[in-house]
Amino acid sequence: MAQAINQALDQAMAADPRVMILGEDVGRTGGVFRVTDGLQDRYGEDRVVDTPVAESGIVGAAFGLAVGGMRPVVEMQFMGFSYPAYDQVISHVSRIRNRSRHRFTAPLVIRIPYGGGIGAAEHHSESAEAIYAHIPGVKVVVPGSPGDAKGLLLAAIDDPDPVVFLEPIRLYRAIKEEVPEERYTTPIGESRVIRPGEDVTVVAWGSMLREARVAADLLEEEGIDAELLDVRSLVPLDEDGLISSVEKTGRAVIVHEAPRTAGLAGELIALIQERALYSLEAPVARVTGWDTVFPLKRSEHLYLPNPQVIARAVHRVMAA
Amino acid sequence: MAQAINQALDQAMAADPRVMILGEDVGRTGGVFRVTDGLQDRYGEDRVVDTPVAESGIVGAAFGLAVGGMRPVVEMQFMGFSYPAYDQVISHVSRIRNRSRHRFTAPLVIRIPYGGGIGAAEHHSESAEAIYAHIPGVKVVVPGSPGDAKGLLLAAIDDPDPVVFLEPIRLYRAIKEEVPEERYTTPIGESRVIRPGEDVTVVAWGSMLREARVAADLLEEEGIDAELLDVRSLVPLDEDGLISSVEKTGRAVIVHEAPRTAGLAGELIALIQERALYSLEAPVARVTGWDTVFPLKRSEHLYLPNPQVIARAVHRVMAA
Amino acid sequence: MAEGLQQVLTPEGELSGELPFGIDETRRLYRAMVAARLYDRKGTALQKQGRLATYAPFEGQEAAQIGSAAALRSDDWMVATYRDAAAMAYHGYPRTLLVLGRMGDERGGSPPEGVNALPPSITVGAHMLHAVGLAWAEKLRGRDRIALTYFGDGATSEGDFHEAMNFAGVFQTPVVFLCENNHYAISLRRDRQTAAATIAGKAEGYGMPGVLVDGNDLFAVYSVTAEAVQRARSGGGPTMIEALTYRLGPHTTSDDPRRYRSGEEEAEWRERDPLERVRRYLAGADAWTPGWQKAIEAEESAAIEAAVEEAEAVPAQRPEDIFASMFAEMTPQLKAQQRTLLESLA
Amino acid sequence: MAEGLQQVLTPEGELSGELPFGIDETRRLYRAMVAARLYDRKGTALQKQGRLATYAPFEGQEAAQIGSAAALRSDDWMVATYRDAAAMAYHGYPRTLLVLGRMGDERGGSPPEGVNALPPSITVGAHMLHAVGLAWAEKLRGRDRIALTYFGDGATSEGDFHEAMNFAGVFQTPVVFLCENNHYAISLRRDRQTAAATIAGKAEGYGMPGVLVDGNDLFAVYSVTAEAVQRARSGGGPTMIEALTYRLGPHTTSDDPRRYRSGEEEAEWRERDPLERVRRYLAGADAWTPGWQKAIEAEESAAIEAAVEEAEAVPAQRPEDIFASMFAEMTPQLKAQQRTLLESLA
Ligand SMILES: Cc1ncc(C[n+]2csc(CCOP(=O)(O)OP(=O)(O)O)c2C)c(N)n1
Ligand SMILES: Cc1ncc(C[n+]2csc(CCOP(=O)(O)OP(=O)(O)O)c2C)c(N)n1
Ligand SMILES: [Mg+2]
Ligand SMILES: [Mg+2]
């Protein structure tokens, strides 16, 4: 997936001189995950900018660059280091269009590697998508495959409004998949059925898709036919896609890595019961991280949802 | 309510020399809402500290003070100005106990005036309780009356862990209510039935309680008997109180000022359907702010939930 | 790097430095300051009458604002705060829109094309980074526009001030930081805001020049700003200016300064009134008469009244408008919410 | 305020200033530096073997850390970073726990009572405010403990650095800010981090003394830190020290410095090795022999091996433990989640 993102950035920069990249260590070294590898050599230090260590500064300056006519793509090194920039996002990036009634706009993309599973130090494994999804005025997308990473990122760069682009760290090097060479976009706001099924809808995004897919395989062996839905776009959400799947299956399990309380599963469940309560044959189940700090390496397996836990939740909703 | 909070602070400071107050303009002027009025005169500049304009600085320094044995109560001037301190809260205040396996703790209280209804400038009317409720390791409480404000604040100051204490701006001067003179605490983690009823549960907190109460009166005239539940403690949530009310009435409406998407109503609905799906006679309805920036004075009436809108939502769930 | 206090005209109206321009320009800028003060007093009056939601008076800071704004080219960027209506109006931000914004109408944040000024910043600190980014964009686009950003003494304590100054230094963006040190951040006195001797002295920590100027001296403010603007425009990088001034009124219409400062202190600064200083100078040069004063006051008052009337005549937004500027195109969710609102109002 | 570079011992091991202590103490601290380096190399080796989750080497920065830590009283607070294991171990933070933390076990963050050091900070910048608060608490409680906080050149760009320095200046908290300027923040060179001539020079913007010191000079680092500590302890307020040094290894074990710096530059700094400098001095004073070197290396290696073994022998936490330190008392939600986890493992 890292390569697909790199390719998307490359194509965007080649096509549009306004596109530029800012972040910590994105230039000289190509980023701690090598996602921007080679781009500074290709496009120069003015367009691939190694910034001082200052996240609010990066996003705040990128805001000004965007209002001033550039198309900045900024990288936060890890989600756990994006919080110092939260104020700039919620107070300004998301609002300038509304504040100025369309007179000024801030079309920037904020790339944030997120999620656990690599045994990293504290602050390097977080999934705080909910705090971004709650901000009116930004879109939030999460690719679950290299193909989507490329298409969604190009769509995000094209988008006339700010997009928070979440990159599942665990998938950077995990998935080998041929990605079409040419430039293409994947529309923001559309979910995707990854695996059709009749018995239960499993909803996930990012690296949880992989876990859910394995769970679906396990379940298949038991004769349970799970439909796997990749939300992809957390904001705006493809409500129709979600509802029609649940209406078909009558059961649902929502999976996310983030802590449970006030996590996005709540939002999805609220929508499901608002529009499909009478189709529900069982309570929608949540499989999520716990309401704890993300544990360090030795305990992270206790925290992260895995195929077994997902399968067990499916058993529960099938039994109800 | 401002007076009740002032009294709680006064009593806490009188009883415990470790309690101190920090914030912008809290000392000399007693705060922009006069909540800390008179306390600097009484307890001196060392214990009621006017800080520079730096929210992360306030919370970060208070963290150190708390770890070092003090009991700081900090004030963020408005919720819209609390975001620069969000990193300190999510990355450190909420985590030091876990990070050090109980060796260090940060018992501090973060008071945040929040919510709309006073026709203020941008950033002065926000309700972002969800982003605090999503942080593992902090408690989040919201008083809906002067009596609760005093009792909950004293409980928060006593609490060995950090508490985010949200104060509904609209209620500062709105409610006249005699508050017991003596020191008392209201336990964190317990909801309260404000008005018992049989037909439908209306769940709210903060200033939305007032709207919901008027709605309940309107509904009573029509013969609909609404139970009004004051959540008070968003984290930890009194799940049993919520569930038993909904099990009784079979219907629920959740009201909050915050934007809808990823707001706390989702969490409450998830819990309700997890534990009481089969009691539900209708989808739980949400009455919330829109997914927009909080509008300026001339349009804020279009944004804020009001009794009519709440009553209409109740009609909807009664009709289903 | 912070030099001594720059001054051209003493409080008594005597020359102590080099005049940057002649009598005609002085009269023009004096008039702009008079207009600003009339506007400011009108703002307070309107708020007291309930016609504005809030108002943040700048009386006493007119020279700091007009003197600096006058050093800009009309296509330069201005990124200012809630207290900078004098500078913004001078730079072409229509007074009607400033009033409309204060009435609590988002359309006040939408200046016409050609006016390169962001809506006044309400948050303290964050907007300085926006100015850095705007200036950077101009540089990258090969244009010679610069950005001027205003902020207070209190704002210098925010992390974003630091990050903005640092980015400007590292990336040599063409930006001028103008601190209106009016000695208070709401109730907090400047000497409790930072232990630094001067704010201008902070500039050295970012590798940029820092200049301390008498902010109540129209000529001096103009001169140092013009020099900084010239430096920025010619690729010489950023500058920080500390303009020493005083807010003669309350922080906002809901503040009571008697809680935190003395009448004597206010009276002392009243003596250093930036308008009176220029008036004395003009009078000494036979370029001011009471009659002229009356005439410009009448004309400017009329213009301000007209702006207020125009703002108040703007019809309310339609309810559906609160959804319409969140994105270029409304999301399905926003469309649904908009429908719900309209139905509930029907 | 930032004075010229403070140095006591030249890279060649010649005296160029005043020695702060005698030969015995020098041998003791030299030995601590040797131990630190052995620990550091062990850390890298363990990580390569997969026995640590990550490791951030500090080779080259031993004098900056040991020289400053040695100026503390044992009950003073230390608030340091992921790269400061030398300082932390010197201050009494058990190596076993430093290793345990690096293995990915939260219990590494829990030093014994009496060790006044926060667990190493992973976030850049935020922890400086914690040191300010801790120092402030000591002052309010009428005790004379001070706080010493370590951070890198990169950290000086964060808003929290600014707010910490400013609070320390305004509230005169007894804190010493020690910047280990190792010339890189991951790949970013110091001259792209800030346009300021020196980091020490930033101190003036906060009204506190700033001191520039040869960070590879054990004696000089000790001297300037001791002076700053004394100032803080006696009520004289905060100080910032910039220790010029160099990280000879990679940023962490997953970094490749060849991407952003030259071998020549590394070799130049290798010449200024802080251990070798003291060794030469000791040798010149007939206080060092190869035999002694061998002996201390053997003893310290054994102690480090023992610490590693002890850490690796710590049994895994129980699954329920991930819930047990979120609050003093688990919430009903956490109890329920704990039950769920245990059931799923059963
Ligand atoms: C981030 C943030 N924190 C707090 C506030 C509340 N507030 C509004 S103005 C102000 C004081 C600012 O003082 P200064 O920068 O000196 O500007 P002045 O008002 O004196 O022009 C404060 C604290 C705010 N608007 N934004
Ligand atoms: C807030 C934050 N942003 C980014 C990072 C990622 N990061 C880890 S170390 C580092 C560089 C820090 O450089 P410096 O302060 O010079 O310390 P050094 O590593 O050189 O000791 C960065 C950017 C982080 N840990 N925290
Ligand atoms: Mg001020
Ligand atoms: Mg460094």
Side-chain angles (χ1 to χ4, degrees):
Chain A
M1 180 179 293
Q3 233 175 317
I5 297 172
N6 184 281
Q7 201 182 85
L9 290 168
D10 192 6
Q11 292 181 349
M13 295 188 80
D16 184 347
R18 299 172 305 168
V19 177
M20 60 185 291
I21 294 173
L22 297 96
E24 293 157 10
D25 309 291
V26 294
R28 201 67 181 266
T29 63
V32 294
F33 294 109
R34 306 283 177 256
V35 170
T36 51
D37 203 20
L39 298 175
Q40 191 179 65
D41 282 347
R42 215 156 310 143
Y43 299 102
E45 294 189 8
D46 270 357
R47 290 185 66 195
V48 182
V49 183
D50 279 321
T51 66
V53 186
E55 294 74 16
S56 186
I58 295 168
V59 174
F63 169 95
L65 284 161
V67 173
M70 303 300 290
R71 290 280 184 155
V73 180
V74 312
E75 175 177 302
M76 302 277 96
Q77 206 158 66
F78 285 85
M79 181 169 270
F81 309 135
S82 73
Y83 310 132
Y86 189 71
D87 179 51
Q88 286 286 349
V89 182
I90 191 172
S91 299
H92 301 290
V93 170
S94 61
R95 296 191 187 184
I96 186 63
R97 182 188 287 278
N98 184 70
R99 182 180 298 153
S100 70
R101 287 293 187 259
H102 295 287
R103 167 74 168 84
F104 300 111
T105 60
L108 76 153
V109 178
I110 305 178
R111 294 180 39 241
I112 313 183
Y114 89 103
I118 57 162
E122 201 191 334
H123 310 286
H124 291 73
S125 308
E126 333 234 316
S127 300
E129 63 267 27
I131 70 167
Y132 289 101
H134 192 47
I135 301 177
V138 289
K139 299 178 183 176
V140 183
V141 302
V142 194
S145 72
D148 276 2
K150 179 173 173 185
L152 284 169
L153 182 53
L154 284 164
I157 295 172
D158 283 354
D159 202 281
D161 286 295
V163 179
V164 173
F165 190 85
L166 303 177
E167 301 175 2
I169 293 173
R170 237 200 311 183
L171 303 187
Y172 270 141
R173 321 235 157 253
I175 309 181
K176 300 268 162 264
E177 179 194 287
E178 281 300 314
V179 168
E181 254 309 313
E182 76 279 5
R183 190 184 191 288
Y184 62 90
T185 59
T186 304
I188 293 174
E190 294 183 8
S191 63
R192 185 164 73 120
V193 173
I194 289 201
R195 181 192 188 287
E198 296 297 323
D199 297 337
V200 56
T201 303
V202 177
V203 183
W205 53 89
S207 72
M208 286 298 108
L209 287 167
R210 221 175 31 156
E211 309 303 303
R213 194 192 266 280
V214 178
D217 292 343
L218 295 175
L219 291 163
E220 185 169 5
E221 288 169 23
E222 304 169 21
I224 297 175
D225 187 19
E227 174 147 310
L228 179 53
L229 188 75
D230 177 3
V231 169
R232 297 199 291 191
S233 174
L234 300 176
V235 178
L237 203 79
D238 178 5
E239 295 183 19
D240 293 343
L242 173 69
I243 299 304
S244 65
S245 175
V246 177
E247 277 174 344
K248 178 177 70 175
T249 62
R251 303 171 198 268
V253 171
I254 323 271
V255 187
H256 63 60
E257 263 182 78
R260 164 161 315 201
T261 294
L264 275 186
E267 177 64 29
L268 298 179
I269 290 171
L271 290 170
I272 291 171
Q273 66 94 39
E274 269 161 19
R275 292 184 48 187
L277 180 69
Y278 304 110
S279 309
L280 280 185
E281 310 202 27
V284 180
R286 292 192 272 182
V287 177
T288 68
W290 312 114
D291 287 335
T292 66
V293 176
F294 192 98
L296 298 183
K297 184 173 185 180
R298 286 179 112 185
S299 303
E300 78 172 332
H301 63 285
L302 299 169
Y303 180 94
L304 280 173
N306 60 36
Q308 287 69 36
V309 174
I310 297 169
R312 220 170 293 131
V314 168
H315 290 152
R316 228 164 47 238
V317 306
M318 294 304 296
Chain B
M1 179 178 292
Q3 235 175 316
I5 297 171
N6 183 281
Q7 202 183 84
L9 291 168
D10 192 7
Q11 292 181 353
M13 296 189 79
D16 185 346
R18 300 172 305 169
V19 178
M20 62 185 290
I21 293 173
L22 297 95
E24 294 158 10
D25 309 292
V26 295
R28 201 67 181 267
T29 63
V32 294
F33 294 109
R34 307 283 177 257
V35 170
T36 51
D37 202 21
L39 297 175
Q40 191 180 66
D41 281 346
R42 217 158 306 145
Y43 299 102
E45 294 190 6
D46 270 358
R47 291 185 65 197
V48 182
V49 183
D50 280 318
T51 65
V53 185
E55 293 74 18
S56 186
I58 295 168
V59 173
F63 170 95
L65 284 160
V67 173
M70 303 299 290
R71 291 282 185 153
V73 180
V74 312
E75 176 179 302
M76 301 276 96
Q77 206 158 67
F78 285 85
M79 181 169 270
F81 309 136
S82 73
Y83 310 132
Y86 188 72
D87 179 51
Q88 285 286 349
V89 181
I90 191 170
S91 299
H92 301 290
V93 170
S94 62
R95 297 192 187 185
I96 186 63
R97 181 187 287 276
N98 184 71
R99 181 179 299 154
S100 71
R101 287 293 186 257
H102 295 286
R103 167 74 167 84
F104 300 111
T105 59
L108 78 152
V109 178
I110 305 179
R111 294 180 38 240
I112 313 183
Y114 90 102
I118 57 159
E122 202 190 334
H123 310 285
H124 291 73
S125 307
E126 334 232 315
S127 299
E129 62 267 27
I131 69 167
Y132 288 102
H134 192 48
I135 302 177
V138 289
K139 299 179 183 174
V140 183
V141 301
V142 194
S145 71
D148 276 2
K150 179 174 172 183
L152 284 169
L153 182 53
L154 284 164
I157 295 172
D158 282 354
D159 202 282
D161 286 295
V163 179
V164 173
F165 189 84
L166 304 177
E167 302 174 2
I169 293 172
R170 239 204 306 188
L171 302 187
Y172 271 139
R173 321 235 158 251
I175 308 179
K176 300 270 161 259
E177 179 193 287
E178 280 302 313
V179 168
E181 253 310 312
E182 76 280 5
R183 191 185 192 289
Y184 63 90
T185 59
T186 305
I188 293 173
E190 295 183 7
S191 62
R192 186 165 72 119
V193 173
I194 289 201
R195 181 193 188 285
E198 295 299 323
D199 298 337
V200 56
T201 302
V202 177
V203 183
W205 53 87
S207 72
M208 286 298 108
L209 287 167
R210 222 175 32 154
E211 310 303 303
R213 194 193 265 281
V214 177
D217 292 344
L218 295 176
L219 291 163
E220 186 171 4
E221 287 171 23
E222 303 170 21
I224 298 175
D225 186 19
E227 174 147 309
L228 178 53
L229 188 77
D230 177 2
V231 170
R232 297 200 290 195
S233 174
L234 301 176
V235 179
L237 203 78
D238 178 4
E239 294 184 17
D240 293 343
L242 172 69
I243 299 304
S244 65
S245 175
V246 177
E247 277 174 344
K248 179 177 72 175
T249 61
R251 303 172 196 268
V253 172
I254 323 269
V255 187
H256 63 58
E257 261 181 81
R260 163 161 315 201
T261 294
L264 276 185
E267 176 64 27
L268 298 180
I269 291 171
L271 291 169
I272 290 171
Q273 67 92 40
E274 268 159 22
R275 292 182 50 187
L277 180 69
Y278 303 110
S279 308
L280 279 185
E281 311 203 26
V284 181
R286 293 192 271 183
V287 178
T288 69
W290 311 115
D291 287 335
T292 65
V293 176
F294 191 98
L296 298 183
K297 185 172 184 182
R298 287 180 112 184
S299 302
E300 78 171 333
H301 63 286
L302 299 169
Y303 180 93
L304 280 173
N306 61 38
Q308 286 68 38
V309 174
I310 297 168
R312 219 169 293 132
V314 169
H315 290 151
R316 229 165 44 237
V317 305
M318 295 303 296
Chain C
M1 181 70 85
E3 311 146 43
L5 184 74
Q6 304 289 305
Q7 202 181 57
V8 172
L9 201 63
T10 68
E12 293 70 38
E14 315 269 310
L15 270 180
S16 60
E18 208 179 319
L19 280 179
F21 40 67
I23 287 288
D24 285 355
E25 182 68 358
T26 307
R27 278 166 55 100
R28 201 176 66 76
L29 294 181
Y30 174 72
R31 182 179 174 145
M33 292 202 294
V34 168
R37 179 156 300 178
L38 290 168
Y39 171 86
D40 195 53
R41 295 199 172 159
K42 185 77 191 177
T44 298
L46 289 173
Q47 201 282 334
K48 296 248 149 91
Q49 293 161 21
R51 290 157 72 189
L52 299 186
T54 52
Y55 188 73
F58 54 74
E59 182 162 338
Q61 305 181 208
E62 292 89 348
Q65 294 188 32
I66 302 287
S68 51
L72 287 185
R73 211 168 63 193
S74 70
D75 63 343
D76 286 333
W77 283 99
M78 180 177 286
V79 185
T81 82
Y82 52 84
R83 201 182 301 291
D84 298 313
M88 292 184 68
Y90 188 91
H91 197 54
Y93 204 103
R95 285 215 185 90
T96 306
L97 294 186
L98 291 170
V99 172
L100 191 61
R102 286 283 179 198
M103 288 167 59
D105 188 313
E106 284 81 1
R107 288 167 297 180
S110 190
E113 284 293 330
V115 175
N116 290 332
L118 295 188
S121 172
I122 306 294
T123 58
V124 167
H127 69 289
M128 289 179 250
L129 278 162
H130 308 164
V132 171
L134 284 164
W136 195 351
E138 296 299 339
K139 181 178 168 179
L140 290 171
R141 296 174 72 180
R143 300 196 297 211
D144 72 346
R145 289 183 191 164
I146 69 114
L148 170 63
T149 181
Y150 292 93
F151 53 99
D153 41 313
T156 65
S157 293
E158 290 280 3
D160 276 359
F161 160 82
H162 176 69
E163 300 190 13
M165 295 284 290
N166 194 45
F167 270 57
V170 168
F171 297 109
Q172 291 290 296
T173 58
V175 59
V176 178
F177 294 93
L178 198 135
C179 179
E180 291 172 74
N181 175 0
N182 62 9
H183 290 84
Y184 286 89
I186 308 187
S187 69
L188 195 70
R189 264 176 45 191
R190 152 64 186 86
D191 61 354
R192 298 298 296 162
Q193 194 68 245
T194 170
T198 66
I199 288 168
K202 290 178 187 273
E204 189 178 347
Y206 308 98
M208 72 174 84
V211 184
L212 187 64
V213 65
D214 181 340
N216 286 9
D217 178 342
L218 178 75
F219 297 114
V221 172
Y222 176 87
S223 293
V224 300
T225 311
E227 192 183 320
V229 166
Q230 173 53 21
R231 180 179 302 123
R233 201 180 312 284
S234 60
T239 304
M240 199 242 270
I241 297 167
E242 174 183 6
L244 287 173
T245 182
Y246 197 81
R247 145 170 76 69
L248 289 168
H251 172 72
T252 64
T253 34
S254 44
D255 172 51
D256 175 7
R258 281 167 308 179
R259 282 179 170 256
Y260 53 82
R261 67 190 195 191
S262 68
E264 293 84 74
E265 185 183 287
E266 290 181 14
E268 246 172 64
W269 278 95
R270 178 65 70 188
E271 284 298 298
R272 292 177 230 163
D273 186 324
L275 272 65
E276 179 59 13
R277 195 182 302 194
V278 179
R279 194 200 61 76
R280 282 188 196 149
Y281 167 75
L282 286 174
D286 286 334
W288 180 92
T289 63
W292 182 63
Q293 179 81 22
K294 276 232 173 75
I296 60 174
E297 282 183 9
E299 282 172 41
E300 294 295 348
S301 283
I304 289 161
E305 287 297 340
V308 172
E309 269 168 40
E310 192 182 335
E312 291 190 327
V314 172
Q317 296 177 86
R318 294 166 311 167
E320 55 265 46
D321 292 342
I322 66 172
F323 304 95
S325 307
M326 292 306 298
F327 295 103
E329 231 186 284
M330 279 191 282
T331 61
Q333 282 77 5
L334 284 167
K335 282 184 199 153
Q337 293 178 15
Q338 191 184 48
R339 253 193 323 273
T340 304
L341 173 64
L342 292 180
E343 280 162 22
S344 88
L345 295 173
Chain D
M1 181 69 89
E3 311 147 43
L5 184 75
Q6 303 289 305
Q7 201 180 58
V8 172
L9 202 62
T10 67
E12 293 70 37
E14 314 270 310
L15 270 181
S16 59
E18 208 178 318
L19 280 177
F21 40 66
I23 286 289
D24 286 355
E25 182 69 359
T26 307
R27 278 166 54 99
R28 202 176 65 75
L29 294 182
Y30 175 73
R31 180 177 175 145
M33 291 200 295
V34 168
R37 180 158 300 181
L38 291 168
Y39 172 87
D40 195 53
R41 294 200 173 159
K42 184 78 190 172
T44 297
L46 290 173
Q47 201 283 333
K48 297 248 148 92
Q49 294 160 21
R51 290 156 72 190
L52 299 186
T54 53
Y55 188 73
F58 54 75
E59 182 162 338
Q61 306 182 207
E62 294 89 346
Q65 293 188 33
I66 302 287
S68 51
L72 287 185
R73 211 167 64 193
S74 69
D75 64 342
D76 286 332
W77 283 100
M78 181 177 285
V79 185
T81 82
Y82 51 85
R83 201 182 302 289
D84 298 313
M88 291 185 69
Y90 187 92
H91 197 55
Y93 204 105
R95 284 215 185 90
T96 306
L97 294 187
L98 291 171
V99 172
L100 192 61
R102 287 282 178 199
M103 287 167 59
D105 188 313
E106 284 80 0
R107 288 167 298 181
S110 190
E113 285 292 329
V115 175
N116 291 332
L118 295 189
S121 172
I122 308 293
T123 57
V124 167
H127 69 289
M128 290 178 250
L129 278 162
H130 308 163
V132 170
L134 284 164
W136 195 354
E138 296 299 340
K139 181 177 167 180
L140 290 171
R141 296 173 72 181
R143 301 196 298 211
D144 71 347
R145 289 183 191 162
I146 70 112
L148 170 62
T149 182
Y150 293 93
F151 54 97
D153 43 314
T156 65
S157 293
E158 289 281 2
D160 276 0
F161 160 82
H162 175 70
E163 301 191 12
M165 295 284 289
N166 194 45
F167 270 56
V170 168
F171 298 109
Q172 290 290 296
T173 58
V175 58
V176 177
F177 295 93
L178 198 136
C179 179
E180 290 171 75
N181 175 1
N182 63 7
H183 290 83
Y184 287 89
I186 309 186
S187 68
L188 195 70
R189 265 178 43 192
R190 153 63 187 86
D191 61 354
R192 299 298 297 163
Q193 193 68 245
T194 169
T198 67
I199 287 168
K202 291 178 187 274
E204 189 179 347
Y206 308 98
M208 71 173 84
V211 184
L212 188 64
V213 66
D214 181 341
N216 286 9
D217 177 342
L218 177 76
F219 298 114
V221 171
Y222 176 87
S223 294
V224 300
T225 312
E227 191 183 319
V229 167
Q230 172 54 22
R231 180 178 303 125
R233 205 183 305 289
S234 61
T239 304
M240 198 243 269
I241 297 168
E242 174 183 6
L244 286 173
T245 183
Y246 197 81
R247 145 168 78 68
L248 289 168
H251 171 72
T252 64
T253 35
S254 44
D255 173 52
D256 175 7
R258 282 167 307 179
R259 283 180 169 256
Y260 53 82
R261 67 190 194 189
S262 68
E264 293 84 73
E265 184 184 288
E266 290 181 14
E268 245 173 64
W269 278 96
R270 178 65 70 190
E271 285 299 298
R272 291 177 230 163
D273 186 324
L275 273 65
E276 179 58 14
R277 196 181 304 195
V278 178
R279 194 198 60 74
R280 285 191 194 145
Y281 167 77
L282 284 174
D286 285 335
W288 180 92
T289 62
W292 182 63
Q293 178 82 23
K294 276 232 172 73
I296 59 174
E297 283 183 7
E299 284 172 40
E300 295 294 349
S301 283
I304 289 161
E305 286 298 339
V308 171
E309 270 169 39
E310 191 183 335
E312 291 189 328
V314 171
Q317 299 177 85
R318 294 165 311 165
E320 54 266 47
D321 292 343
I322 66 171
F323 304 95
S325 306
M326 292 305 300
F327 296 103
E329 233 186 283
M330 278 191 283
T331 61
Q333 282 77 8
L334 284 167
K335 283 183 199 156
Q337 293 178 16
Q338 191 184 48
R339 255 194 323 273
T340 304
L341 174 64
L342 292 179
E343 281 162 21
S344 88
L345 297 172

